[in-house]
Amino acid sequence: MIEIQNLSKRFGSFQALDQVSLTVPSGSVYGLVGPNGAGKSTLIRHLTGVYRPDSGTIAVNGSPVFDNPAVKCKMLCIYDEIYYYMHASTRDLKKIYQGLYPDFSEERYEKLRPLFPEVNDKAPLRSLSKGMLKQSAFWLSMSCCPEVLVLDEPVDGLDPVMRRQVMSILMADVAERGTTVLLSSHNLRELEDVCDHVGILHHGKVLLERSLSQLQDSISKVQVLFPDEAPELIPGAEVVHRSNTGKMYTYILRCSPEKARQLIGYFAPVYAECLPLTLEEIFIYELGGMSYEVQDLVL
């Protein structure tokens, strides 16, 4: 389990993280999302022990991370930008990983080889494309058999087939080995397919943190056609957003789908349908309440 309590970090006058608290359950896939500059990368650098917190605590399975090799050898991070010795090869780096991670498996390294056919592990990394570098990083990382895996934009640069391949390997480790994964990405569609918990950062603070099922049950999207004029307010629920195309209205309500159907039913609509919201829609509407909503461009 990853437990972060009241984590704060300031760079000069800039407050990068402000009393951040979140929990990643063991064996779960946790999606960390937020707009640019929200503090996701800073949080990841604290979680991997690169930064020392100004205040607050970070613990993995009850042990602090910073300056603790016993914890760090059980966790691994793949950053958005790959920092490797570019004159070295994947095979050269394998020797370094073997020295750093006691659970590194030579057998697994060979089993994973056919899954990354484009990567020649004898070729220098400087000769590889960005996507191939990312494949090399996954190949090495998954061979380490980490208990905790932290991923920052993990599939950026990979083609659609390799994205599915990498996610398949990742989810197999979660199911079979109980690997705990924290995944930061702007691709909310892919996060929705794999995450069971979600945390949203905004201006260095946790805007919300819930399981994906709880998150989807707390906000509803209703398309409705009223016999008369459409109401602006729906008593019993907060109207997060209201729009229309002709006489067809769309409401985003802060309540469960079941309650949304009940509340809309009071108006005896001609037609009403409750639709599921995607994680991307939830993200937009939640941040809309923080003055981050998409604005119309006026020329």
CSV table of all heavy atoms in Angstrom, one decimal, residues 98-150:
chain,number,residue,atom,x,y,z
A,98,GLN,N,20.1,-5.7,-12.8
A,98,GLN,CA,20.3,-6.9,-12.0
A,98,GLN,C,21.0,-6.6,-10.7
A,98,GLN,O,20.8,-7.2,-9.6
A,98,GLN,CB,21.1,-7.9,-12.8
A,98,GLN,CG,20.3,-8.6,-13.8
A,98,GLN,CD,21.2,-9.5,-14.7
A,98,GLN,OE1,22.3,-9.2,-15.1
A,98,GLN,NE2,20.7,-10.7,-15.1
A,99,GLY,N,21.9,-5.6,-10.7
A,99,GLY,CA,22.6,-5.2,-9.5
A,99,GLY,C,21.7,-4.4,-8.5
A,99,GLY,O,22.0,-4.4,-7.3
A,100,LEU,N,20.7,-3.6,-9.1
A,100,LEU,CA,19.9,-2.8,-8.3
A,100,LEU,C,18.7,-3.5,-7.7
A,100,LEU,O,18.2,-3.1,-6.6
A,100,LEU,CB,19.5,-1.5,-9.1
A,100,LEU,CG,20.6,-0.6,-9.5
A,100,LEU,CD1,20.0,0.5,-10.4
A,100,LEU,CD2,21.2,0.1,-8.3
A,101,TYR,N,18.2,-4.4,-8.5
A,101,TYR,CA,16.9,-5.1,-8.1
A,101,TYR,C,17.1,-6.6,-7.8
A,101,TYR,O,17.3,-7.3,-8.8
A,101,TYR,CB,15.8,-4.8,-9.2
A,101,TYR,CG,15.5,-3.4,-9.3
A,101,TYR,CD1,16.1,-2.6,-10.3
A,101,TYR,CD2,14.5,-2.8,-8.5
A,101,TYR,CE1,15.8,-1.2,-10.4
A,101,TYR,CE2,14.2,-1.4,-8.7
A,101,TYR,CZ,14.9,-0.7,-9.6
A,101,TYR,OH,14.6,0.7,-9.8
A,102,PRO,N,17.1,-7.0,-6.6
A,102,PRO,CA,17.4,-8.4,-6.3
A,102,PRO,C,16.4,-9.4,-6.9
A,102,PRO,O,16.7,-10.6,-7.0
A,102,PRO,CB,17.3,-8.4,-4.7
A,102,PRO,CG,16.6,-7.2,-4.3
A,102,PRO,CD,16.8,-6.2,-5.4
A,103,ASP,N,15.2,-8.9,-7.2
A,103,ASP,CA,14.1,-9.8,-7.8
A,103,ASP,C,14.2,-9.9,-9.3
A,103,ASP,O,13.3,-10.5,-9.9
A,103,ASP,CB,12.7,-9.4,-7.3
A,103,ASP,CG,12.5,-9.6,-5.8
A,103,ASP,OD1,13.2,-10.5,-5.3
A,103,ASP,OD2,11.7,-8.8,-5.2
A,104,PHE,N,15.2,-9.3,-9.9
A,104,PHE,CA,15.3,-9.3,-11.4
A,104,PHE,C,15.4,-10.8,-11.8
A,104,PHE,O,16.1,-11.6,-11.3
A,104,PHE,CB,16.6,-8.6,-11.8
A,104,PHE,CG,16.6,-8.4,-13.3
A,104,PHE,CD1,16.2,-7.3,-13.9
A,104,PHE,CD2,17.1,-9.5,-14.1
A,104,PHE,CE1,16.3,-7.1,-15.3
A,104,PHE,CE2,17.2,-9.3,-15.5
A,104,PHE,CZ,16.7,-8.2,-16.1
A,105,SER,N,14.5,-11.1,-12.8
A,105,SER,CA,14.4,-12.5,-13.3
A,105,SER,C,15.0,-12.6,-14.7
A,105,SER,O,14.4,-12.0,-15.7
A,105,SER,CB,13.0,-12.9,-13.2
A,105,SER,OG,12.8,-14.2,-13.9
A,106,GLU,N,16.1,-13.3,-14.9
A,106,GLU,CA,16.6,-13.6,-16.2
A,106,GLU,C,15.7,-14.4,-17.0
A,106,GLU,O,15.5,-14.2,-18.2
A,106,GLU,CB,18.0,-14.3,-16.1
A,106,GLU,CG,18.7,-14.6,-17.4
A,106,GLU,CD,19.3,-13.4,-18.0
A,106,GLU,OE1,19.7,-12.5,-17.3
A,106,GLU,OE2,19.3,-13.3,-19.3
A,107,GLU,N,15.0,-15.3,-16.4
A,107,GLU,CA,14.0,-16.2,-17.0
A,107,GLU,C,12.9,-15.3,-17.6
A,107,GLU,O,12.4,-15.5,-18.8
A,107,GLU,CB,13.4,-17.2,-16.1
A,107,GLU,CG,12.4,-18.1,-16.7
A,107,GLU,CD,11.8,-19.1,-15.7
A,107,GLU,OE1,12.2,-19.0,-14.5
A,107,GLU,OE2,10.9,-19.9,-16.1
A,108,ARG,N,12.4,-14.3,-16.8
A,108,ARG,CA,11.3,-13.5,-17.3
A,108,ARG,C,11.8,-12.6,-18.4
A,108,ARG,O,11.1,-12.3,-19.4
A,108,ARG,CB,10.7,-12.6,-16.2
A,108,ARG,CG,9.5,-11.9,-16.6
A,108,ARG,CD,8.7,-11.5,-15.4
A,108,ARG,NE,7.3,-11.3,-15.9
A,108,ARG,CZ,6.5,-10.3,-15.6
A,108,ARG,NH1,7.0,-9.3,-14.9
A,108,ARG,NH2,5.3,-10.2,-16.0
A,109,TYR,N,13.0,-12.1,-18.3
A,109,TYR,CA,13.6,-11.3,-19.4
A,109,TYR,C,13.5,-12.0,-20.7
A,109,TYR,O,13.1,-11.4,-21.8
A,109,TYR,CB,15.0,-10.9,-19.0
A,109,TYR,CG,15.7,-10.0,-20.0
A,109,TYR,CD1,15.6,-8.7,-20.0
A,109,TYR,CD2,16.6,-10.6,-21.0
A,109,TYR,CE1,16.3,-7.9,-20.9
A,109,TYR,CE2,17.2,-9.8,-21.9
A,109,TYR,CZ,17.1,-8.5,-21.9
A,109,TYR,OH,17.7,-7.7,-22.8
A,110,GLU,N,13.9,-13.3,-20.7
A,110,GLU,CA,13.9,-14.1,-22.0
A,110,GLU,C,12.4,-14.4,-22.4
A,110,GLU,O,12.1,-14.4,-23.6
A,110,GLU,CB,14.6,-15.4,-21.8
A,110,GLU,CG,16.1,-15.1,-21.6
A,110,GLU,CD,16.8,-14.4,-22.8
A,110,GLU,OE1,16.3,-14.6,-23.9
A,110,GLU,OE2,17.7,-13.7,-22.5
A,111,LYS,N,11.5,-14.6,-21.5
A,111,LYS,CA,10.1,-14.8,-21.8
A,111,LYS,C,9.5,-13.6,-22.5
A,111,LYS,O,8.6,-13.7,-23.3
A,111,LYS,CB,9.3,-15.3,-20.6
A,111,LYS,CG,9.6,-16.7,-20.2
A,111,LYS,CD,8.7,-17.1,-19.0
A,111,LYS,CE,8.9,-18.5,-18.6
A,111,LYS,NZ,8.0,-18.9,-17.5
A,112,LEU,N,9.9,-12.4,-22.0
A,112,LEU,CA,9.3,-11.2,-22.6
A,112,LEU,C,9.9,-10.8,-23.9
A,112,LEU,O,9.4,-10.0,-24.6
A,112,LEU,CB,9.5,-10.0,-21.6
A,112,LEU,CG,8.7,-10.1,-20.3
A,112,LEU,CD1,9.1,-9.0,-19.3
A,112,LEU,CD2,7.2,-10.0,-20.6
A,113,ARG,N,11.1,-11.3,-24.3
A,113,ARG,CA,11.8,-11.0,-25.5
A,113,ARG,C,10.9,-11.0,-26.7
A,113,ARG,O,10.8,-10.0,-27.5
A,113,ARG,CB,13.0,-11.9,-25.7
A,113,ARG,CG,13.8,-11.5,-26.9
A,113,ARG,CD,14.9,-12.6,-27.2
A,113,ARG,NE,15.9,-12.5,-26.1
A,113,ARG,CZ,16.9,-11.7,-26.1
A,113,ARG,NH1,17.1,-10.8,-27.0
A,113,ARG,NH2,17.8,-11.8,-25.0
A,114,PRO,N,10.1,-12.1,-26.9
A,114,PRO,CA,9.2,-12.1,-28.2
A,114,PRO,C,8.1,-11.0,-28.2
A,114,PRO,O,7.6,-10.8,-29.3
A,114,PRO,CB,8.6,-13.5,-28.1
A,114,PRO,CG,9.5,-14.3,-27.2
A,114,PRO,CD,10.0,-13.3,-26.2
A,115,LEU,N,7.8,-10.5,-27.0
A,115,LEU,CA,6.8,-9.5,-27.0
A,115,LEU,C,7.3,-8.1,-27.4
A,115,LEU,O,6.5,-7.2,-27.6
A,115,LEU,CB,6.2,-9.4,-25.6
A,115,LEU,CG,5.6,-10.7,-25.0
A,115,LEU,CD1,5.0,-10.5,-23.6
A,115,LEU,CD2,4.6,-11.3,-26.0
A,116,PHE,N,8.6,-7.9,-27.5
A,116,PHE,CA,9.2,-6.7,-27.9
A,116,PHE,C,10.1,-6.9,-29.1
A,116,PHE,O,11.3,-6.7,-29.0
A,116,PHE,CB,10.0,-6.0,-26.8
A,116,PHE,CG,9.1,-5.7,-25.6
A,116,PHE,CD1,9.1,-6.5,-24.5
A,116,PHE,CD2,8.3,-4.6,-25.6
A,116,PHE,CE1,8.3,-6.3,-23.4
A,116,PHE,CE2,7.5,-4.4,-24.5
A,116,PHE,CZ,7.5,-5.2,-23.4
A,117,PRO,N,9.6,-7.4,-30.2
A,117,PRO,CA,10.4,-7.9,-31.4
A,117,PRO,C,11.2,-6.8,-32.0
A,117,PRO,O,12.2,-7.0,-32.7
A,117,PRO,CB,9.4,-8.5,-32.3
A,117,PRO,CG,8.1,-7.8,-32.0
A,117,PRO,CD,8.1,-7.6,-30.5
A,118,GLU,N,10.7,-5.5,-31.9
A,118,GLU,CA,11.4,-4.4,-32.6
A,118,GLU,C,12.7,-4.0,-31.8
A,118,GLU,O,13.5,-3.3,-32.4
A,118,GLU,CB,10.5,-3.2,-32.7
A,118,GLU,CG,9.2,-3.5,-33.5
A,118,GLU,CD,8.3,-2.2,-33.6
A,118,GLU,OE1,8.7,-1.2,-32.9
A,118,GLU,OE2,7.3,-2.3,-34.3
A,119,VAL,N,12.8,-4.4,-30.6
A,119,VAL,CA,14.0,-4.0,-29.8
A,119,VAL,C,15.1,-5.0,-29.9
A,119,VAL,O,15.0,-6.1,-29.4
A,119,VAL,CB,13.6,-3.8,-28.3
A,119,VAL,CG1,14.8,-3.3,-27.5
A,119,VAL,CG2,12.4,-2.8,-28.2
A,120,ASN,N,16.2,-4.6,-30.5
A,120,ASN,CA,17.4,-5.4,-30.5
A,120,ASN,C,18.2,-5.0,-29.3
A,120,ASN,O,18.7,-3.9,-29.1
A,120,ASN,CB,18.2,-5.0,-31.8
A,120,ASN,CG,19.6,-5.8,-31.8
A,120,ASN,OD1,19.9,-6.5,-30.9
A,120,ASN,ND2,20.3,-5.6,-32.9
A,121,ASP,N,18.3,-6.0,-28.3
A,121,ASP,CA,18.9,-5.6,-27.0
A,121,ASP,C,20.4,-5.5,-27.1
A,121,ASP,O,21.0,-5.1,-26.1
A,121,ASP,CB,18.5,-6.6,-25.9
A,121,ASP,CG,19.1,-8.0,-26.2
A,121,ASP,OD1,19.6,-8.3,-27.3
A,121,ASP,OD2,19.0,-8.9,-25.2
A,122,LYS,N,21.0,-5.7,-28.3
A,122,LYS,CA,22.4,-5.5,-28.5
A,122,LYS,C,22.7,-4.1,-29.1
A,122,LYS,O,23.9,-3.6,-29.1
A,122,LYS,CB,23.0,-6.5,-29.4
A,122,LYS,CG,22.9,-8.0,-28.8
A,122,LYS,CD,23.6,-9.0,-29.8
A,122,LYS,CE,23.4,-10.4,-29.2
A,122,LYS,NZ,24.0,-11.4,-30.2
A,123,ALA,N,21.7,-3.4,-29.6
A,123,ALA,CA,21.9,-2.1,-30.3
A,123,ALA,C,22.0,-1.0,-29.2
A,123,ALA,O,21.3,-1.0,-28.2
A,123,ALA,CB,20.7,-1.9,-31.2
A,124,PRO,N,22.8,0.0,-29.5
A,124,PRO,CA,22.9,1.1,-28.6
A,124,PRO,C,21.5,1.9,-28.5
A,124,PRO,O,20.8,2.0,-29.6
A,124,PRO,CB,24.0,2.0,-29.2
A,124,PRO,CG,24.1,1.6,-30.6
A,124,PRO,CD,23.7,0.1,-30.6
A,125,LEU,N,21.2,2.4,-27.4
A,125,LEU,CA,19.9,3.0,-27.2
A,125,LEU,C,19.7,4.3,-28.1
A,125,LEU,O,18.6,4.7,-28.5
A,125,LEU,CB,19.7,3.4,-25.7
A,125,LEU,CG,19.6,2.2,-24.8
A,125,LEU,CD1,19.5,2.8,-23.3
A,125,LEU,CD2,18.5,1.3,-25.1
A,126,ARG,N,20.9,4.9,-28.4
A,126,ARG,CA,20.8,6.1,-29.3
A,126,ARG,C,20.3,5.8,-30.7
A,126,ARG,O,19.8,6.7,-31.4
A,126,ARG,CB,22.2,6.8,-29.4
A,126,ARG,CG,23.3,5.9,-30.0
A,126,ARG,CD,24.5,6.7,-30.2
A,126,ARG,NE,25.6,5.9,-30.8
A,126,ARG,CZ,26.5,5.2,-30.1
A,126,ARG,NH1,26.4,5.3,-28.8
A,126,ARG,NH2,27.4,4.5,-30.7
A,127,SER,N,20.3,4.5,-31.0
A,127,SER,CA,19.8,4.1,-32.4
A,127,SER,C,18.3,3.8,-32.4
A,127,SER,O,17.7,3.5,-33.4
A,127,SER,CB,20.6,2.9,-32.9
A,127,SER,OG,20.3,1.8,-32.1
A,128,LEU,N,17.7,3.8,-31.2
A,128,LEU,CA,16.3,3.5,-31.1
A,128,LEU,C,15.4,4.7,-31.1
A,128,LEU,O,15.8,5.8,-30.7
A,128,LEU,CB,16.0,2.7,-29.7
A,128,LEU,CG,16.9,1.5,-29.5
A,128,LEU,CD1,16.4,0.8,-28.2
A,128,LEU,CD2,16.8,0.5,-30.6
A,129,SER,N,14.2,4.5,-31.6
A,129,SER,CA,13.2,5.6,-31.7
A,129,SER,C,12.6,5.7,-30.3
A,129,SER,O,12.9,4.9,-29.4
A,129,SER,CB,12.0,5.2,-32.6
A,129,SER,OG,11.3,4.1,-32.1
A,130,LYS,N,11.8,6.8,-30.1
A,130,LYS,CA,11.2,7.0,-28.8
A,130,LYS,C,10.3,5.8,-28.3
A,130,LYS,O,10.4,5.4,-27.2
A,130,LYS,CB,10.3,8.3,-28.8
A,130,LYS,CG,9.7,8.6,-27.5
A,130,LYS,CD,8.8,9.9,-27.5
A,130,LYS,CE,8.1,10.1,-26.2
A,130,LYS,NZ,7.4,11.4,-26.2
A,131,GLY,N,9.5,5.3,-29.3
A,131,GLY,CA,8.7,4.2,-29.0
A,131,GLY,C,9.5,2.9,-28.6
A,131,GLY,O,9.1,2.2,-27.7
A,132,MET,N,10.6,2.7,-29.3
A,132,MET,CA,11.4,1.5,-29.0
A,132,MET,C,12.1,1.7,-27.6
A,132,MET,O,12.3,0.7,-26.9
A,132,MET,CB,12.4,1.3,-30.1
A,132,MET,CG,11.7,0.9,-31.4
A,132,MET,SD,12.8,1.0,-32.9
A,132,MET,CE,14.0,-0.3,-32.5
A,133,LEU,N,12.5,3.0,-27.3
A,133,LEU,CA,13.1,3.2,-26.0
A,133,LEU,C,12.1,2.9,-24.9
A,133,LEU,O,12.5,2.3,-23.9
A,133,LEU,CB,13.5,4.7,-25.9
A,133,LEU,CG,14.9,5.1,-26.5
A,133,LEU,CD1,15.1,6.6,-26.4
A,133,LEU,CD2,16.0,4.4,-25.7
A,134,LYS,N,10.8,3.3,-25.1
A,134,LYS,CA,9.8,3.0,-24.1
A,134,LYS,C,9.6,1.5,-24.0
A,134,LYS,O,9.4,1.0,-22.9
A,134,LYS,CB,8.5,3.7,-24.5
A,134,LYS,CG,7.4,3.7,-23.5
A,134,LYS,CD,7.8,4.4,-22.2
A,134,LYS,CE,7.9,5.9,-22.4
A,134,LYS,NZ,6.6,6.6,-22.4
A,135,GLN,N,9.7,0.8,-25.1
A,135,GLN,CA,9.5,-0.7,-25.1
A,135,GLN,C,10.7,-1.3,-24.3
A,135,GLN,O,10.5,-2.2,-23.5
A,135,GLN,CB,9.5,-1.3,-26.5
A,135,GLN,CG,8.3,-0.9,-27.3
A,135,GLN,CD,8.3,-1.5,-28.6
A,135,GLN,OE1,8.6,-2.7,-28.8
A,135,GLN,NE2,8.0,-0.7,-29.6
A,136,SER,N,11.9,-0.8,-24.5
A,136,SER,CA,13.1,-1.3,-23.8
A,136,SER,C,12.9,-1.0,-22.3
A,136,SER,O,13.2,-1.9,-21.4
A,136,SER,CB,14.3,-0.5,-24.3
A,136,SER,OG,15.5,-0.9,-23.5
A,137,ALA,N,12.4,0.1,-21.9
A,137,ALA,CA,12.2,0.4,-20.5
A,137,ALA,C,11.1,-0.5,-19.8
A,137,ALA,O,11.3,-1.0,-18.7
A,137,ALA,CB,11.7,1.9,-20.3
A,138,PHE,N,10.1,-0.8,-20.6
A,138,PHE,CA,9.1,-1.8,-20.1
A,138,PHE,C,9.7,-3.2,-19.9
A,138,PHE,O,9.4,-3.9,-19.0
A,138,PHE,CB,7.9,-1.8,-20.9
A,138,PHE,CG,6.8,-0.9,-20.5
A,138,PHE,CD1,6.6,0.3,-21.1
A,138,PHE,CD2,5.9,-1.2,-19.4
A,138,PHE,CE1,5.6,1.2,-20.7
A,138,PHE,CE2,4.9,-0.4,-19.0
A,138,PHE,CZ,4.8,0.8,-19.6
A,139,TRP,N,10.4,-3.6,-20.9
A,139,TRP,CA,11.0,-4.9,-20.9
A,139,TRP,C,11.9,-5.1,-19.7
A,139,TRP,O,11.8,-6.1,-19.0
A,139,TRP,CB,11.9,-5.1,-22.2
A,139,TRP,CG,12.5,-6.4,-22.4
A,139,TRP,CD1,12.3,-7.5,-21.7
A,139,TRP,CD2,13.3,-6.8,-23.5
A,139,TRP,NE1,13.0,-8.6,-22.2
A,139,TRP,CE2,13.6,-8.2,-23.4
A,139,TRP,CE3,13.8,-6.1,-24.6
A,139,TRP,CZ2,14.4,-8.8,-24.2
A,139,TRP,CZ3,14.6,-6.8,-25.5
A,139,TRP,CH2,14.9,-8.2,-25.3
A,140,LEU,N,12.8,-4.1,-19.4
A,140,LEU,CA,13.7,-4.2,-18.3
A,140,LEU,C,12.9,-4.1,-17.0
A,140,LEU,O,13.1,-4.8,-16.0
A,140,LEU,CB,14.7,-3.0,-18.4
A,140,LEU,CG,15.7,-3.1,-19.5
A,140,LEU,CD1,16.4,-1.8,-19.7
A,140,LEU,CD2,16.8,-4.2,-19.1
A,141,SER,N,11.9,-3.2,-16.9
A,141,SER,CA,11.2,-2.9,-15.7
A,141,SER,C,10.3,-4.1,-15.3
A,141,SER,O,10.3,-4.5,-14.1
A,141,SER,CB,10.3,-1.7,-15.9
A,141,SER,OG,11.0,-0.5,-16.1
A,142,MET,N,9.6,-4.7,-16.2
A,142,MET,CA,8.8,-5.9,-15.9
A,142,MET,C,9.7,-7.1,-15.5
A,142,MET,O,9.2,-8.0,-14.8
A,142,MET,CB,7.9,-6.2,-17.1
A,142,MET,CG,7.0,-5.0,-17.5
A,142,MET,SD,6.1,-4.2,-16.1
A,142,MET,CE,5.0,-5.5,-15.6
A,143,SER,N,10.9,-7.1,-16.0
A,143,SER,CA,11.8,-8.2,-15.6
A,143,SER,C,12.3,-8.1,-14.2
A,143,SER,O,12.8,-9.1,-13.6
A,143,SER,CB,13.0,-8.2,-16.6
A,143,SER,OG,12.6,-8.4,-17.9
A,144,CYS,N,12.1,-6.9,-13.6
A,144,CYS,CA,12.6,-6.7,-12.2
A,144,CYS,C,11.5,-7.2,-11.2
A,144,CYS,O,11.8,-7.3,-10.0
A,144,CYS,CB,12.8,-5.2,-12.0
A,144,CYS,SG,14.2,-4.5,-12.9
A,145,CYS,N,10.3,-7.6,-11.7
A,145,CYS,CA,9.2,-8.1,-10.9
A,145,CYS,C,9.0,-7.2,-9.7
A,145,CYS,O,9.0,-7.6,-8.5
A,145,CYS,CB,9.6,-9.5,-10.4
A,145,CYS,SG,9.9,-10.7,-11.7
A,146,PRO,N,8.7,-5.8,-9.9
A,146,PRO,CA,8.6,-4.9,-8.8
A,146,PRO,C,7.2,-5.2,-8.1
A,146,PRO,O,6.3,-5.6,-8.7
A,146,PRO,CB,8.6,-3.6,-9.5
A,146,PRO,CG,8.1,-3.8,-10.8
A,146,PRO,CD,8.6,-5.2,-11.2
A,147,GLU,N,7.2,-4.8,-6.8
A,147,GLU,CA,6.0,-4.9,-6.0
A,147,GLU,C,5.2,-3.6,-6.3
A,147,GLU,O,3.9,-3.7,-6.2
A,147,GLU,CB,6.3,-5.0,-4.5
A,147,GLU,CG,7.0,-6.3,-4.1
A,147,GLU,CD,7.2,-6.4,-2.6
A,147,GLU,OE1,6.8,-5.4,-1.9
A,147,GLU,OE2,7.9,-7.3,-2.2
A,148,VAL,N,5.8,-2.5,-6.5
A,148,VAL,CA,5.2,-1.2,-6.8
A,148,VAL,C,5.7,-0.7,-8.1
A,148,VAL,O,6.9,-0.6,-8.3
A,148,VAL,CB,5.4,-0.2,-5.7
A,148,VAL,CG1,4.7,1.1,-6.1
A,148,VAL,CG2,4.8,-0.7,-4.4
A,149,LEU,N,4.8,-0.3,-9.0
A,149,LEU,CA,5.2,0.2,-10.3
A,149,LEU,C,4.6,1.6,-10.5
A,149,LEU,O,3.4,1.7,-10.4
A,149,LEU,CB,4.8,-0.7,-11.5
A,149,LEU,CG,5.3,-0.5,-12.9
A,149,LEU,CD1,6.8,-0.5,-12.9
A,149,LEU,CD2,4.8,-1.5,-13.8
A,150,VAL,N,5.4,2.6,-10.8
A,150,VAL,CA,4.9,4.0,-11.0
A,150,VAL,C,5.2,4.3,-12.4
A,150,VAL,O,6.3,4.2,-12.9
A,150,VAL,CB,5.7,4.9,-10.0
A,150,VAL,CG1,5.1,6.4,-10.2
A,150,VAL,CG2,5.5,4.5,-8.6
